[in-house]
Amino acid sequence: MVGKTFTAEAYQLPFFKQEGFIRKQCPKCSEYFWTQNQSQETCGESGSDECGCYSFLGNPATKRKFTLPEMREAFLSFFEKNGHTRIKPYPVVARWRKDIYLTHASIIDFQPYVTEGIAPPPANPLVISQPSIRLTDISNTGPTFGRHLTIFEMGGAHAFNTADKEIYWKDDTVRFHQRFATEVLGIPSDEIIYKEGVWEGGGNAGPDVECIVRGLEVGTLVFMQYKVVGEEFVELPIRTVDTGYGIDRFTWISQGVPSLFQAIYGNLHDKVLSMAGITNLDNDFLLRVGKYSGLVSVDKRANRMVARKRVSELTGIDLATLEKELVPIENAWAVLDHTKTLSFMLSEGVVPSNIQEGYLARLLFRRVYRLMRILNIQPDSLYDIVEMQANYWANDFPHIKEMQSEIIEMLKVEEEKFKDTLQRGEGLVKRIATELKAKGENKLSENKLAELYGSQGLPPEIVKQAAERENLEVTVPENFYALIANRHMQASTKPQEETDTKNQADLEKATEQLPATEQLYYVDAYKKEFEAQVQKIINNNTYVVLNQTCFYPEGGGQPQDLGTLSAEGTTYEVVDVQKIGKVIVHKLKTPAAFKEGTTIQGKLDWERRYQLMKSHTITHLINGAARRVLGEHVWQSGTQKGLETSRLDISHYRRLSQEETQKIETLANQAISANMKVETNWYPRNQAEALYGFRLYQGGAVPGKDIRVVKTGDWDVEACAGTHLNNTGEVGFVKIVYTERVQDGVERLGYAVGLRALAAMQQQETLLSKISEALNAPIEKLDKTAEKVVKELKEAQLEKRRLIKELAEKESTTTTQTQSNETATEVAGITIVKRDFEVVIDVNRMLTTATEVIKRNDAAVTVYYGSDGKTCRLLIMAGETAIKKGINAGNIVKEAAPIFGGGGGGRPNFAQGGGTQCGKIKEAVATAEEVIKKQLKP
């Protein structure tokens, strides 16, 4: 937190006094720390402030060496013996959170529901070893020898203290750490330093102490007691012990090897380095350099080369040797780390794409792919590395091995997409270079680099190579990937219309003191009529709150119920139903004449409700069917239930084939025919997760202490607030009526149920009959007839293009004297070729003819136009020499096209526009000529 500090009293614990720790201020970083070593002058942490260096390299800090699994077990067992309940790690994809995509610390598992007192913890106290992903450290992965990773295991020992029950707090937290480090690991007590700090994350904050052993921070003990609101810290009802033990880092200091990668990857480390041609590592060299690797950090304040020069000074190894020897090794280390991170992410259903967590997976893949190219590792070796990762982690994380084939398939598809991107990229950079040169610029900005990566997926290094071939200057920030990742770590929220926001705020204020509305649709989804008392009438008597209701409010992709409210002999139409907090608000078409306290009779539009119940239940069935057909990577990305058709968006890495679609449809209908019972139950959050896992969160994060779970036989189970049928047989029949790609990595299935499914099929049959009639072919032979027609059409188009080209070549060489509708004018060294194509406004013909003219004279500018009385067209093309003299076709069209009621634009070498005010086409052409003359440089 910027500028936030805590008083010295926040850190003065009985433990420090009893164990002989003294408080000092580090002269280098100015932070306060606690040590038993009277002669310790600095905080000892190895960083850019040079408070210390790594003294455990070649000299392990512990009594024996530990592998990563052994260190994990030592940590978990210690806390288990000391009253903590061991719980399984949560997923690395934080689907229970609305605000973030990835789990980057163990406390993420319990925010905000446990830390804010909404739901109880799964155990108290508890201990967990949580795989965590931090892509903000991507640029430092490798150069810091393993201090930074994109994936690591955080050992979390957590206690949740309330006003009624104290588990343990600061003093015991530090004592536990000291005992683990000294008793279990055998680290000498006087080698452990505790550095004071302030921690903030996930919307919470508190004082912390960082645990430093021989230069390396191995843990952070956070005393979370505040919620961050703006710039203020507001006290939470629960004080949380949030410890982060670096299981990977503890493993490193126990082995004393040059890098953390050697400590945790074992023989996998050597295999990957050998693929890059790196064999017989000089460990003595790495030990000399690794001692000072803590100085290296790539961020806004630190530059890698500056740190590297300092390492050169401290080691006596010249900078050129450091760069030559270290860069390949660091890149190979990054490949090791990133492929592990990718394996974890993709094993949990993340599909590389341009959105959300998929964007982060794509970023990782493309960085790995680029690093492998730099290391001269064959692209196919990526799949070997992923397979080795799956095997290496299979014992502790078996789901990665189980998902191995799907992971590799997704990566192969992603590789093809990336190859296509690279092929398009060179042409795109050339066009950008042309535009910049036309403006007199010779540098590609950092913002443009970020834009090209974000919109086109082009890595900055590839852009730099292509741009420099076009004589453009490009500087790639060293922390480029970290900056991009940081932009996409937080989940974005959809902005609301201002009027909607105001109306929502008014309703929230009016209902904040009201008791919760009883939701009768959860008691009996088949109840069509009910009686209730009016609790509140709001906003000119058009909004009504009842003590109970059968009306389902809009939510979870299910539209609201409609119907009527009747009171005192008058019936009012209900046109909208919304849930505001715990209160359900009914909007009436006409203002209510009844008063608060009145008893009313409610009646649903039952046909609508029943159809929506069918649509919602079949959505769960189709989701389960898609997962069975396509694989476990399928997750729901969005849904909308409707009366005529509904839709389900799912994560998938390629377009759905017709065969896959039909299989999904068949399976869904088999699930309907099975007449499975649909069960709905409320569970405490922890119990629901324990019973059904995190597949519960198909529809996204679910708020609250308790979760409503909808279980459809053994077919599907998920947290869902919608109304459902009692059994699947009531759906009757489902027909998938369309599929489409909504965006990269997301497929949409559109479907209809019951009679509407029948209507959809009949509509398709009618369409087939019309096509059959038009082609004069029986339905059973439509495919062959269509193939024949398409073939003939293609042949005709080829012939048309050939004739246009032939005509264009002749016209481009014909003198203007013989072309009454064409003129050529010399102006300042360029030739303006103007031609009226009259009613033949065939753009292909114009373009082909202009291209032939420019081929023969690159100092030419063609001004081609035409009009058929309804539409008019203007096309400008400029040769390279004309562009160098200042011509910009795009700007010419932008000024001229509005004159004939149109618009348009393009690049400096080519642009076109169209409009409908054809009487002004000649005026537009005259303007175009004037703009050309103005653009010409003197």
Side-chain angles (χ1 to χ4, degrees):
M1 190 72 177
V2 179
K4 183 68 179 181
T5 58
F6 293 98
T7 63
E9 286 73 22
Y11 305 94
Q12 290 175 346
L13 309 178
F15 165 78
F16 288 143
K17 184 176 181 180
Q18 293 167 11
E19 299 299 323
F21 281 81
I22 55 175
R23 187 175 189 252
K24 293 185 174 186
Q25 186 175 19
C26 180
K28 295 198 172 184
C29 69
S30 300
E31 301 291 343
Y32 287 94
F33 65 96
W34 295 83
T35 178
Q36 289 175 320
N37 186 347
Q38 299 284 339
S39 62
Q40 181 73 38
E41 295 182 359
T42 69
C43 69
E45 184 175 12
S46 180
S48 56
D49 292 315
E50 296 189 30
C51 304
C53 61
Y54 297 154
S55 58
F56 62 87
L57 299 183
N59 181 27
T62 59
K63 61 186 177 184
R64 75 172 183 86
K65 296 179 180 180
F66 290 79
T67 63
L68 183 64
E70 288 172 342
M71 185 61 73
R72 181 195 306 120
E73 184 55 38
F75 166 77
L76 293 170
S77 295
F78 169 78
F79 279 96
E80 207 169 23
K81 290 173 183 175
N82 284 277
H84 293 65
T85 300
R86 182 191 301 213
I87 65 170
K88 293 180 179 178
Y90 279 47
V92 296
V93 183
R95 290 189 168 92
W96 61 93
R97 297 281 298 261
K98 288 184 177 180
D99 53 339
I100 57 175
Y101 298 125
L102 302 174
T103 306
H104 58 260
S106 59
I107 195 61
I108 295 299
D109 303 345
F110 314 109
Q111 290 175 320
Y113 308 111
V114 176
T115 58
E116 295 185 11
I118 297 168
N124 197 9
L126 60 83
V127 64
I128 185 173
S129 185
Q130 176 62 49
S132 304
I133 295 177
R134 289 186 187 171
L135 297 187
T136 50
D137 287 332
I138 192 169
S139 299
N140 284 313
T141 302
T144 62
F145 277 52
R147 179 164 61 100
H148 295 94
L149 303 167
T150 63
I151 187 166
F152 58 94
E153 284 191 54
M154 178 176 284
H158 300 289
F160 306 93
N161 301 287
T162 66
D164 299 328
K165 188 173 183 180
E166 181 90 0
I167 306 300
Y168 65 83
W169 193 226
K170 297 178 184 178
D171 195 65
D172 284 334
T173 301
V174 181
R175 289 180 190 273
F176 278 134
H177 178 272
Q178 187 76 2
R179 285 181 54 204
F180 173 69
T182 57
E183 296 173 16
V184 178
L185 303 184
I187 300 171
S189 181
D190 62 357
E191 291 185 4
I192 303 171
I193 295 170
Y194 294 97
K195 183 178 176 182
E196 297 176 5
V198 177
W199 179 91
E200 181 192 348
N204 300 138
D208 72 44
V209 289
E210 298 163 7
C211 315
I212 299 162
V213 175
R214 296 195 187 176
L216 181 66
E217 180 189 341
V218 292
T220 305
L221 314 178
V222 179
F223 309 110
M224 184 193 298
Q225 56 194 112
Y226 301 101
K227 183 176 182 177
V228 181
V229 181
E231 292 295 313
E232 298 297 320
F233 281 3
V234 179
E235 285 201 25
L236 288 164
I238 291 181
R239 290 172 298 118
T240 301
V241 171
D242 172 23
T243 65
Y245 286 66
I247 304 300
D248 306 76
R249 291 186 180 187
F250 271 115
T251 303
W252 189 14
I253 67 169
S254 82
Q255 295 186 26
V257 289
S259 76
L260 183 145
F261 301 98
Q262 292 160 290
I264 66 172
Y265 284 101
N267 62 352
L268 181 55
H269 170 274
D270 297 336
K271 289 178 181 177
V272 171
L273 265 67
S274 67
M275 287 180 177
I278 303 170
T279 55
N280 300 319
L281 274 183
D282 186 345
N283 279 321
D284 291 335
F285 169 80
L286 290 177
L287 285 170
R288 287 173 64 192
V289 178
K291 180 178 180 179
Y292 302 105
S293 60
L295 306 183
V296 179
S297 181
V298 178
D299 56 31
K300 291 179 181 178
R301 297 171 290 109
N303 180 283
R304 184 180 62 84
M305 285 309 298
V306 171
R308 191 84 98 198
K309 288 176 182 176
R310 180 59 179 149
V311 172
S312 173
E313 293 171 3
L314 293 168
T315 59
I317 303 171
D318 67 272
L319 185 61
T321 300
L322 285 176
E323 280 292 287
K324 179 184 176 183
E325 298 295 328
L326 289 178
V327 169
I329 296 171
E330 292 168 353
N331 286 342
W333 285 343
V335 168
L336 255 178
D337 169 89
H338 296 356
T339 50
K340 178 186 176 184
T341 308
L342 265 175
S343 297
F344 271 72
M345 290 176 69
L346 271 57
S347 73
E348 293 185 9
V350 175
V351 174
S353 68
N354 289 330
I355 59 164
Q356 300 173 355
E357 62 268 22
Y359 185 96
L360 300 172
R362 173 163 288 173
L363 180 148
L364 266 176
F365 169 82
R366 296 191 171 183
R367 188 164 196 259
V368 167
Y369 198 82
R370 181 189 64 83
L371 290 171
M372 289 177 64
R373 285 177 59 171
I374 291 172
L375 291 166
N376 292 318
I377 300 177
Q378 291 298 314
D380 284 351
S381 296
L382 171 63
Y383 311 113
D384 297 329
I385 297 172
V386 169
E387 184 177 354
M388 289 189 289
Q389 291 278 15
N391 292 331
Y392 191 78
W393 301 105
N395 287 337
D396 300 313
F397 305 100
H399 64 283
I400 297 176
K401 183 65 178 174
E402 292 163 6
M403 287 289 289
Q404 178 185 319
S405 60
E406 286 188 50
I407 292 170
I408 290 175
E409 182 65 23
M410 280 191 273
L411 291 176
K412 285 182 176 179
V413 172
E414 185 63 16
E415 181 184 4
E416 291 306 311
K417 291 178 182 177
F418 190 35
K419 286 178 179 176
D420 290 343
T421 296
L422 294 179
Q423 286 177 354
R424 295 195 313 270
E426 185 131 355
L428 180 60
V429 174
K430 281 184 178 179
R431 289 197 297 272
I432 292 170
T434 301
E435 291 170 3
L436 288 174
K437 290 173 185 176
K439 297 176 185 176
E441 299 176 14
N442 65 345
K443 186 173 183 180
L444 198 66
S445 68
E446 290 182 12
N447 285 339
K448 194 66 179 178
L449 277 178
E451 180 189 324
L452 286 170
Y453 187 87
S455 63
Q456 304 295 327
L458 287 172
E461 300 83 3
I462 302 297
V463 174
K464 179 179 172 69
Q465 291 172 8
E468 287 178 344
R469 284 196 291 271
E470 299 298 317
N471 298 314
L472 286 182
E473 293 179 24
V474 182
T475 301
V476 180
E478 290 186 337
N479 62 336
F480 177 85
Y481 288 98
L483 293 172
I484 295 295
N486 201 42
R487 291 182 188 180
H488 292 84
M489 291 300 288
Q490 303 293 320
S492 58
T493 54
K494 189 176 180 180
Q496 285 184 297
E497 294 288 338
E498 188 175 338
T499 53
D500 292 342
T501 305
K502 184 180 185 305
N503 190 46
Q504 179 90 356
D506 291 344
L507 291 175
E508 286 176 358
K509 186 175 181 181
T511 59
E512 60 186 357
Q513 299 300 321
L514 294 178
T517 306
E518 185 180 353
Q519 301 162 97
L520 298 177
Y521 47 81
Y522 285 155
V523 180
D524 181 5
Y526 290 78
K527 192 176 180 68
K528 306 175 184 68
E529 300 181 19
F530 67 100
E531 190 174 271
Q533 278 71 49
V534 178
Q535 301 283 85
K536 185 89 172 177
I537 301 175
I538 311 164
N539 287 14
N540 300 318
N541 292 1
T542 55
Y543 290 90
V544 178
V545 179
L546 307 173
N547 68 321
Q548 59 182 13
T549 186
C550 284
F551 283 89
Y552 180 82
E554 181 182 16
Q558 179 174 328
Q560 74 280 3
D561 286 333
L562 302 179
T564 60
L565 296 181
S566 300
E568 300 171 349
T570 305
T571 297
Y572 302 86
E573 186 179 347
V574 177
V575 295
D576 192 16
V577 186
Q578 297 294 327
K579 192 173 185 184
I580 309 295
K582 295 182 178 181
V583 174
I584 295 173
V585 180
H586 309 71
K587 183 180 181 182
L588 305 182
K589 187 175 183 179
T590 56
F594 53 79
K595 306 294 182 184
E596 292 175 4
T598 302
T599 298
I600 62 93
Q601 285 73 43
K603 185 176 181 180
L604 298 183
D605 177 341
W606 176 247
E607 185 180 347
R608 172 188 170 90
R609 155 67 83 78
Y610 193 50
Q611 184 65 25
L612 290 171
M613 288 166 65
K614 289 181 180 181
S615 297
H616 207 144
T617 297
I618 193 58
T619 297
H620 287 217
L621 299 184
I622 288 180
N623 194 25
R627 191 161 59 249
R628 285 163 173 81
V629 172
L630 304 175
E632 289 296 314
H633 64 275
V634 169
W635 282 75
Q636 180 179 307
S637 295
T639 180
Q640 183 63 48
K641 294 82 182 177
L643 297 173
E644 299 300 324
T645 60
S646 299
R647 67 173 188 260
L648 171 68
D649 296 343
I650 57 172
S651 55
H652 189 49
Y653 48 87
R654 70 166 112 226
R655 283 293 288 117
L656 288 172
S657 68
Q658 185 178 18
E659 182 183 2
E660 288 168 336
T661 302
Q662 289 175 345
K663 283 182 179 179
I664 293 169
E665 183 179 80
T666 300
L667 275 179
N669 278 295
Q670 287 174 353
I672 292 170
S673 300
N675 207 29
M676 292 182 286
K677 187 178 180 182
V678 181
E679 301 174 90
T680 58
N681 292 290
W682 288 89
Y683 294 98
R685 178 176 292 274
N686 294 322
Q687 186 182 353
E689 292 174 352
L691 282 171
Y692 301 114
F694 292 87
R695 275 280 177 190
L696 280 172
Y697 303 116
Q698 280 288 333
V702 179
K705 176 182 178 182
D706 298 319
I707 294 177
R708 183 173 180 262
V709 176
V710 176
K711 184 174 183 292
T712 311
D714 295 326
W715 191 261
D716 182 75
V717 59
E718 60 182 274
C720 178
T723 58
H724 286 271
L725 304 170
N726 284 338
N727 63 75
T728 61
E730 291 182 61
V731 174
F733 172 69
V734 66
K735 174 65 183 171
I736 296 177
V737 293
Y738 70 90
T739 68
E740 62 181 345
R741 168 139 286 192
V742 182
Q743 53 201 20
D744 195 22
V746 179
E747 291 291 301
R748 174 167 291 171
L749 292 152
Y751 43 93
V753 298
L755 290 175
R756 289 168 175 83
L758 177 62
M761 291 183 68
Q762 290 172 339
Q763 187 178 10
Q764 289 181 356
E765 288 175 355
T766 301
L767 183 61
L768 278 174
S769 295
K770 288 182 179 179
I771 296 172
S772 173
E773 186 178 342
L775 294 178
N776 193 26
I779 289 177
E780 63 270 17
K781 293 184 178 180
L782 271 183
D783 55 343
K784 298 295 182 184
T785 305
E787 286 175 7
K788 181 182 177 184
V789 170
V790 170
K791 183 183 177 183
E792 291 172 351
L793 180 61
K794 286 181 178 178
E795 290 172 351
Q797 288 173 337
L798 283 172
E799 179 63 11
K800 180 184 175 184
R801 283 197 290 270
R802 187 189 67 77
L803 292 171
I804 287 176
K805 191 172 190 301
E806 187 178 302
L807 181 62
E809 288 172 350
K810 290 179 180 179
E811 290 180 335
S812 66
T813 56
T814 303
T815 61
T816 57
Q817 285 78 13
T818 62
Q819 292 274 0
S820 60
N821 55 355
E822 181 177 296
T823 61
T825 309
E826 297 289 330
V827 179
I830 72 151
T831 305
I832 303 174
V833 180
K834 185 174 67 171
R835 181 173 176 186
D836 184 357
F837 279 72
E838 299 175 335
V839 297
V840 186
I841 51 172
D842 185 326
V843 174
N844 284 334
R845 182 179 169 188
M846 286 182 174
L847 180 59
T848 306
T849 307
T851 302
E852 292 299 324
V853 170
I854 299 300
K855 276 183 184 178
R856 288 172 169 76
N857 180 6
D858 70 356
V861 179
T862 61
V863 181
Y864 286 177
Y865 59 98
S867 167
D868 61 5
K870 293 180 180 179
T871 59
C872 38
R873 205 84 194 166
L874 174 65
L875 184 147
I876 310 288
M877 186 176 285
E880 187 66 30
T881 300
I883 292 170
K884 289 177 180 177
K885 286 180 174 289
I887 296 299
N888 186 311
N891 291 341
I892 297 167
V893 170
K894 282 179 183 176
E895 288 198 44
I899 293 172
F900 54 79
R907 303 184 298 272
N909 65 323
F910 171 70
Q912 60 178 318
T916 56
Q917 297 177 22
C918 299
K920 296 184 177 181
I921 185 67
K922 294 290 179 70
E923 182 183 341
V925 170
T927 299
E929 288 185 88
E930 289 302 315
V931 174
I932 291 170
K933 292 172 183 176
K934 288 178 183 177
Q935 286 182 347
L936 289 171
K937 296 177 181 177

